[in-house]
Amino acid sequence: MKKLFVIVFCLIMVNSCNKTPQTEVPPVGKWDPQVWKALNELMISAGQGSYAVFDFDQTSIVHDISQALWVYQIENLRFADAPDHKFLDGIPAPESLMPGSNVTYAEMGDALSTEYETLISRLNAGESIVSIWESDVYLDFRARMASLMQAMDEQWGSWVTYLWQPGLLAGYTETEAKALIHDAITEQLGLDKLAVESWHSPDGQWGGDVMRGIWVSQEMKELYKRLDSSGIDVYVCSASLELIVEALACDPVLGFGIPAERVYGLRFVAGDKIVAQFDPNYEQPNREGKVDCIRAYMAPSHGNKGPVLVAGDSNGDVAMLTAFLDMSHGLIIDVGRSAESAIGKLATQARAEGNTGLYLLQPSFEK
């Protein structure tokens, strides 16, 4: 019995040593030296049982995974029930005018549905997708989609967009959606895929700038890995659909390889097929909801303590960056937000303190 106790004790000590770094590790890639120094000190001192919470889009990854999926669906004409619903699922008042136009959302939906039927007919008849991309009807279709998204964001804000964009998966089973998301990630992933494109209709009436591509930096991969090896559990708390985020966050090769149970995103009601309707029995992680999500689903596994590290990039992350008094650091990824915005003010504080205070400001790894 004594021998068994010694063996078990030694194994525990070895595992503990492996999970807690004793010396600072040099930064990988483009980390600001002072930011990495603060993170390294945190990883040394935080200890077992601590946890960190990361936003996903523009924080853990460069660009936006929901946007990448949306671009892929448009370019490959991959919609299930959305055309039957006139692409209007999640839009609060379809009969209202789109800002800056004399066209209602319903009228826009009718036009999109008609154009999509035309494009699908041509594709099913054997025309190549490349040829279709060059057609006026396709250029008008994608420009209208860009205008539709920008209009609802202007009129109702991001919460409606967060429902509408992933809601375009409506009609797919979860298995079908996962396959589609994987295809989108495979096509859109890469530093050389990052771009901002101008999508405009041939008549110039519709369109706007569209962000395409996603990228997982080696710097952020290394941070996730180092936090885990230091005994700090890493969670994702995102205002993108959980199903979409999991596809990359949980992938051990393309993404971060974290367990699915540590990924929290927006959730639709469960069913045989996806419907664009939020689950009312779940703390949806949007803005202040991110704090509720952390307290409800993450903190109980960690003695109801707050995270030692919170990372974000936008106003949607400010609530969780300021809610926890026991947080050691808030990591802000600088993607050029306005200095007058809520996240901009936290970034200004970090800059003024030279990354030696509560908040740490790290330039985006896209640059």
Side-chain angles (χ1 to χ4, degrees), residues 30-32 35 332-335 355 361-367:
K30 297 180 180 179
W31 279 107
D32 177 284
V35 170
I332 301 167
I333 303 301
D334 185 5
V335 293
N355 283 330
L361 185 63
Q362 169 63 41
S364 170
F365 295 114
E366 177 184 0
K367 301 174 182 178

Side-chain angles (χ1 to χ4, degrees), residues 131-352:
S131 174
I132 287 173
W133 288 342
E134 296 172 350
S135 67
D136 283 354
V137 65
Y138 171 76
L139 295 175
D140 192 70
F141 174 75
R142 72 173 192 175
R144 284 177 178 271
M145 289 289 272
S147 287
L148 181 60
M149 183 173 68
Q150 291 174 4
M152 70 180 70
D153 189 64
E154 179 182 341
Q155 186 163 353
W156 294 297
S158 58
W159 185 233
V160 171
T161 309
Y162 293 156
L163 173 60
W164 176 77
Q165 200 171 45
L168 295 173
L169 290 170
Y172 285 114
T173 66
E174 185 172 318
T175 299
E176 291 168 339
K178 285 181 177 179
L180 175 62
I181 295 163
H182 180 268
D183 290 345
I185 290 172
T186 302
E187 181 181 275
Q188 294 278 311
L189 186 65
L191 185 59
D192 60 331
K193 306 289 182 66
L194 302 178
V196 176
E197 295 182 346
S198 183
W199 287 5
H200 288 283
S201 57
D203 64 5
Q205 184 177 3
W206 306 109
D209 290 339
V210 171
M211 182 171 63
R212 64 176 299 131
I214 48 175
W215 184 50
V216 183
S217 70
Q218 188 58 42
E219 289 91 342
M220 199 57 75
K221 277 190 175 184
E222 180 68 14
L223 178 57
Y224 267 61
K225 179 180 177 182
R226 290 265 295 120
L227 286 165
D228 180 70
S229 67
S230 300
I232 301 172
D233 292 338
V234 179
Y235 292 83
V236 168
C237 190
S238 171
S240 282
L241 191 70
E242 189 172 279
L243 182 69
I244 300 173
V245 176
E246 282 180 347
L248 187 53
C250 302
D251 190 302
V253 178
L254 301 179
F256 300 98
I258 67 173
E261 58 268 23
R262 293 190 194 162
V263 177
Y264 291 88
L266 302 180
R267 292 182 188 175
F268 289 157
V269 293
D272 294 335
K273 293 186 176 181
I274 293 172
V275 294
Q277 180 181 346
F278 289 133
D279 182 350
N281 300 312
Y282 168 72
E283 299 289 354
Q284 302 288 350
N286 177 52
R287 293 186 176 269
E288 291 77 12
K290 289 193 172 189
V291 177
D292 297 331
C293 182
I294 292 168
R295 287 177 171 155
Y297 308 123
M298 304 175 205
S301 298
H302 301 274
N304 288 314
K305 295 180 180 179
V308 294
L309 176 67
V310 174
D313 72 280
S314 71
N315 287 341
D317 302 314
V318 169
M320 69 173 180
L321 280 162
T322 56
F324 302 100
L325 298 180
D326 45 354
M327 181 182 76
S328 297
H329 287 295
L331 174 61
I332 301 167
I333 303 301
D334 185 5
V335 293
R337 309 293 185 187
S338 167
E340 302 304 315
S341 65
I343 192 71
K345 291 176 181 177
L346 295 183
T348 297
Q349 178 181 334
R351 194 177 290 111

Side-chain angles (χ1 to χ4, degrees), residues 15-20 45-51 228-233 302 305:
N15 183 62
S16 176
C17 289
N18 287 337
K19 297 285 280 185
T20 306
S45 64
Q48 300 287 322
S50 301
Y51 69 109
D228 180 70
S229 67
S230 300
I232 301 172
D233 292 338
H302 301 274
K305 295 180 180 179

